[in-house]
Amino acid sequence: MRQPVGKLLLFGATGDLAQRMLLPSLYGLHADGLLPEGLTITGTARHAYDDAAYREFAKTALEEHLPSDRDESALAGFLERLQFHSMDASQVEGFKGLAEKLGDISGGLAIFLSTAPWLFAPTIKGLEAAGLAGANVRIGLEKPLGNDLKSSREINDLVALAFPEERTFRIDHYLGKETVQNILALRFGNAMFEPIWNARGIDHVQITVSETVGLEGRAGYYDDVGALRDMVQNHMLQLLALIAMEPPARFDGTAIRDEKVKVLRSLRPIGPAEVQSETVIGQYRDGAVNGEIVRGYTDELEKPSNTETFVAVKAHVDSWRWQGVPFYLRTGKRLAGRQSEISIQFKPVPHSIFAERGGQLQPNTLVIRLQPEEYIRLLVMAKEPGLDREGIRLREVPLDLSLTTAFANTRRRIAYERLLLDLIEGDPTLFVRRDEVEAQWEWIDGIRAGWKANDMKPKPYASGSWGPSASVGLTERDGVTWNE
Ligand code: BG6
């Protein structure tokens, strides 16, 4: 049941995420009249700000990250909602002052926690000690939530001491993206896909999340994590689960997450015997991205490293529906372009009547493009206009659903707008349940153990390329080409 809260508390309120995403998202919700009336937003961090200084800080962040989208009177109203409490979250004593600053929370409190992992334990303890973990308080947790199954369990256990699962909202910002939610609309709002959405109709699935950025000043975090844990463990496995899941009975957090977790638990383990053939890892060297010369990973890092900045995996879901259908996943930094998409390659027609007349058929492909553009495109065969004296010419043409054009009058929202509003209102559907996270980690840990056992090191690739050539080999040996 949705139950909007009266107060929002942001930990890490001066951090990068707050500046780039959270404050702009909250402003957007405020400007559209979507935040509960009277909702106050309390930021906390170690900075010695008072309310006025934090409002100034937020204003600057909005100027930088929402340059054209601001309305001065909405901005003034938004800033009035903000207040700030300076504290060191590692010290339990400080939470008493925070509770005082928040005042009466009988109208409900939503907490958004985006802090360094080592602050998790003291923060949860502090919240509990200060009476900020009661039945009307819910908590949103931003990653990283551990770096393997064991540490993720520890964090989940710790959080569970103060917040039961139904009040714990684990964030995967990919689930806030409009096109990701559109996977559900496409699959379960249209009758034509489901009958062929299985091993009989689909040859393989590709999921690519390629980025052009490098370390972006996050060396401390990224070098300990790498591409598999930064992107595959969470975002890409969630995409895979949405593509592969059985139709849920209803649109709610239980039904949808029950189906996703079944997929995640059905991922075929990839271990020491399989990693060499089923996974490829790479690390970028110098090169040029979008015409700009960039340094290699270890130069940026200023030390040697075996962390992978690229990973490609051939995954399988062991179920009746997906038997024999590979899911090729790949993601990396400093690649040739920023492109996130899911491409579903259907099987060829069982018999071509065009072959004798020279007509060549391509199997259909459905492309779900998440970014930078948002579209769904079905590639279908069509006859080229003409009298066909020299044979029938067939060509693949796109049936295009450009979401940007079809919904041109609707503002494209930041993923966090959706997630923050759902947190404030208490709708868990687009948040990740504990069993999902743990199933994700279990599969990822197996791959990492396999890399370790085989002493696998990342292969170099030039910045601005599509990753190491071995990643091409991963699909080509199955007769599949990456969609680029
Ligand atoms: C984050 C990763 O979770 O997702 C980053 O930590 C990555 O490394 C980012 O750049 C990608 O998100 P998006 O929304 O830009 O595709």
Side-chain angles (χ1 to χ4, degrees):
M1 250 260 293
R2 291 191 186 197
Q3 182 74 49
V5 293
K7 299 199 166 168
L8 178 67
L9 169 61
L10 300 178
F11 281 88
T14 54
D16 187 54
L17 185 74
Q19 293 179 56
R20 283 189 307 118
M21 297 289 170
L22 305 182
L23 290 167
S25 296
L26 289 166
Y27 167 78
L29 293 170
H30 166 87
D32 291 344
L34 293 168
L35 291 182
E37 215 182 307
L39 177 107
T40 58
I41 303 171
T42 307
T44 170
R46 279 165 60 172
H47 283 77
Y49 290 152
D50 57 13
D51 294 348
Y54 187 59
R55 288 177 183 164
E56 208 41 52
F57 169 88
K59 191 161 172 245
T60 311
L62 293 176
E63 275 159 9
E64 194 177 339
H65 298 287
L66 273 186
S68 58
D69 248 1
R70 278 171 295 113
D71 167 288
E72 288 312 313
S73 86
L75 180 64
F78 174 67
L79 295 177
E80 265 173 39
R81 289 181 185 266
L82 300 182
Q83 54 173 11
F84 191 81
H85 181 70
S86 169
M87 67 178 270
D88 174 355
S90 68
Q91 306 298 317
V92 163
E93 308 77 56
F95 283 78
K96 204 162 152 267
L98 176 63
E100 275 160 22
K101 179 89 187 182
L102 281 167
D104 178 14
I105 57 159
S106 58
L109 171 69
I111 302 171
F112 187 103
L113 197 55
S114 107
T115 46
W118 58 272
L119 279 175
F120 258 94
T123 304
I124 300 287
K125 283 196 189 110
L127 286 170
E128 209 179 5
L132 297 176
N136 62 352
V137 183
R138 59 183 79 110
I139 191 161
L141 304 172
E142 182 58 65
K143 71 164 205 175
L145 294 179
N147 51 19
D148 57 11
L149 179 60
K150 184 168 170 284
S151 54
S152 144
R153 276 200 177 129
E154 281 163 13
I155 291 178
N156 283 327
D157 284 346
L158 183 101
V159 173
L161 290 177
F163 297 92
E165 184 64 29
E166 65 273 16
R167 292 197 275 116
T168 302
F169 290 61
R170 290 178 202 79
I171 289 148
D172 183 319
H173 80 278
Y174 266 55
L175 296 180
K177 290 183 192 273
E178 203 61 64
T179 329
V180 174
Q181 293 159 41
N182 239 315
I183 298 173
L184 296 176
L186 182 81
R187 285 195 60 198
F188 307 125
N190 297 290
M192 73 241 237
F193 294 113
E194 196 50 28
I196 51 167
W197 205 263
N198 51 45
R200 281 182 303 287
I202 293 179
D203 182 79
H204 71 269
V205 176
Q206 296 183 17
I207 305 180
T208 295
V209 179
S210 73
E211 298 187 279
T212 51
V213 293
L215 268 177
E216 292 186 295
R218 298 158 81 217
Y221 157 78
Y222 194 86
D223 196 52
D224 285 340
V225 176
L228 184 74
R229 291 188 281 183
D230 185 44
M231 296 295 286
V232 181
Q233 184 271 339
N234 39 26
H235 311 320
M236 296 186 76
L237 287 185
Q238 283 291 323
L239 295 179
L240 183 151
L242 290 170
I243 291 292
M245 73 184 187
E246 296 299 317
R250 51 186 66 84
F251 201 111
D252 69 25
T254 303
I256 291 182
R257 296 186 297 178
D258 280 354
E259 295 306 337
K260 279 194 295 168
V261 78
K262 277 199 260 170
V263 173
L264 297 165
R265 288 187 181 140
S266 312
L267 284 165
R268 187 181 300 166
I270 298 179
E274 296 87 18
V275 280
Q276 309 248 32
S277 58
E278 313 293 277
T279 72
V280 172
I281 46 178
Q283 190 187 78
Y284 63 82
R285 297 288 182 262
D286 49 12
V289 180
N290 296 335
E292 194 196 322
I293 306 287
V294 295
R295 288 182 299 160
Y297 179 74
T298 48
D299 289 343
E300 256 184 84
L301 197 63
E302 293 174 345
K303 61 172 189 191
S305 165
N306 281 323
T307 298
E308 83 286 357
T309 61
F310 174 97
V311 60
V313 184
K314 179 179 169 185
H316 281 96
V317 177
D318 275 334
S319 65
W320 279 35
R321 183 188 282 263
W322 295 115
Q323 211 37 240
V325 181
F327 286 74
Y328 300 101
L329 316 178
R330 72 175 166 165
T331 183
K333 303 269 185 208
R334 289 280 192 237
L335 295 180
R338 177 167 184 255
Q339 169 183 322
S340 297
E341 68 178 35
I342 302 167
S343 129
I344 291 149
Q345 166 90 67
F346 292 96
K347 291 249 160 91
V349 296
H351 163 68
S352 169
I353 61 165
F354 304 103
E356 282 183 355
R357 296 286 196 101
Q360 306 270 330
L361 288 175
Q362 304 281 340
N364 302 126
T365 308
L366 178 71
V367 180
I368 303 169
R369 177 84 151 201
L370 311 180
Q371 53 200 31
E373 313 86 1
E374 296 186 325
Y375 59 74
I376 296 171
R377 177 175 291 169
L378 182 62
L379 300 175
V380 295
M381 295 310 296
K383 185 181 110 48
E384 275 188 25
L387 301 178
D388 305 332
R389 296 302 95 180
E390 282 150 27
I392 300 182
R393 285 198 197 156
L394 297 166
R395 212 174 64 203
E396 211 174 32
V397 288
L399 262 182
D400 246 323
L401 171 58
S402 160
L403 300 170
T404 323
T405 314
F407 302 106
N409 295 329
T410 317
R411 182 165 69 79
R412 315 309 295 156
R413 292 186 181 276
I414 307 169
Y416 282 94
E417 286 185 63
R418 173 66 194 244
L419 298 177
L420 281 163
L421 191 60
D422 283 355
L423 173 69
I424 289 165
E425 294 187 348
D427 182 347
T429 314
L430 298 178
F431 295 84
V432 186
R433 214 166 54 187
R434 175 172 182 159
D435 52 1
E436 292 180 80
V437 180
E438 296 189 354
Q440 291 170 182
W441 275 122
E442 196 164 341
W443 190 70
I444 294 293
D445 281 2
I447 297 178
R448 291 186 51 243
W451 289 348
K452 195 159 174 235
N454 286 275
D455 198 21
M456 246 171 91
K457 300 273 184 319
K459 297 181 195 319
Y461 64 94
S463 288
S465 70
W466 281 106
S469 53
S471 120
V472 177
L474 182 78
T475 57
E476 295 273 315
R477 64 164 198 260
D478 297 338
V480 170
T481 309
W482 288 110
N483 210 20
E484 267 151 24

